Amino acid sequence: MTQNGAMSKKLRTAGIFITLGLVVQGISLIWNHPLAFMAFLGGGGLLLGIGIVIYLLALVSTAQTDLK
Amino acid sequence: MPTAVVLILVGLTLLIVFLVIIRPEITAARGGKILAFLALFVFPVFAGVMGFENHMERSKQTAFCLSCHVMEPYGKSLNVDDPNYLAAAHYQNSRIPRDHACYTCHTNYTIYGTFRDKFRGLRHAYKYYIGHPANPIKLYEPINNRECLHCHLGARSFEQGAVHNADPQTMADIKGNKLSCMSSGCHDTVHNVPQLDHVKYWKPQP
């Protein structure tokens, strides 16, 4: 896989996690229930966090490859 | 921030994230890199923070507290037609904001009070759904006079109240939380849940 291909794959993966996280967070904002906050934090927050970390790691790994 | 605004922000973020998912090759150009940074970092973090703030604000609402089954009688007690019922008198006379009635009296007016309350709220949810809530439910610790004095300190009815000034030590003890407003026997009828079947109720005018 080329460097661009690998980067695209990581961006897609990050994007999918972030999309899922945002969808869960959006639903939790509409859902008027005590568990909505749990869903927001435990579901949406976790997925969003994973997506952001994947994106940041992708950036770092690209920067390292560029340095080499 | 209103829920609608946060939802619009979430929707906009989703649109940009979709663009990056569908066309990741746009990130080869400088503009695309900036767009990806906004889509995959800045906007999601911003949406998350706004959503968190929205949830925190919502969890202060009376309706939120009363959405738990165990809290129903406490909500009912707010409409008791008896001025001796402390919670009802505060609620019905708008001495506290009606839409934040529970939070206003039960929060902890210290620097991290709100966060402590919200962590306690998580514990409530755990007990409600996984553990066994106490029956009847009890406060973790007695209400500190600080919570009452947050509003009443300086108020004429409090500062010049005959009983509060019965002797010079009384006022000092109240302010120093040595003499509890509630458990000292003065304002001790608060929610009085066991008696709720034997009282009259106030019906708010529409």
Side-chain angles (χ1 to χ4, degrees), chain B residues 149-201:
Chain B
L149 296 177
H150 182 74
C151 296
H152 289 282
L153 191 67
R156 185 180 172 190
S157 58
F158 169 71
E159 299 286 352
Q160 296 182 359
V163 178
H164 299 158
N165 292 288
D167 64 81
Q169 194 56 39
T170 304
M171 186 59 93
D173 287 349
I174 294 171
K175 290 182 178 174
N177 196 39
K178 288 179 185 155
L179 183 65
S180 169
C181 302
M182 276 160 274
S183 55
S184 60
C186 297
H187 304 284
D188 56 351
T189 308
V190 186
H191 291 285
N192 208 11
V193 166
Q195 294 299 316
L196 288 184
D197 289 336
H198 311 290
V199 292
K200 281 197 303 179
Y201 286 93

Side-chain angles (χ1 to χ4, degrees), chain B residues 30-99:
Chain B
R30 192 177 175 194
K33 283 189 175 72
I34 293 169
L35 185 75
F37 184 68
L38 289 173
L40 301 177
F41 184 74
V42 178
F43 282 3
V45 168
F46 191 55
V49 170
M50 290 295 109
F52 183 78
E53 198 237 319
N54 186 280
H55 270 289
M56 288 288 279
E57 210 43 54
R58 198 195 304 182
S59 66
K60 294 176 187 173
Q61 291 176 359
T62 310
F64 178 86
C65 303
L66 301 183
S67 64
C68 269
H69 180 64
V70 290
M71 296 310 298
E72 276 173 17
Y74 295 88
K76 201 175 163 188
S77 76
L78 298 176
N79 288 314
V80 171
D81 191 10
D82 182 343
N84 291 319
Y85 275 65
L86 196 65
H90 277 74
Y91 178 79
Q92 291 167 27
N93 294 300
S94 296
R95 289 178 193 144
I96 48 171
R98 285 187 191 164
D99 55 345

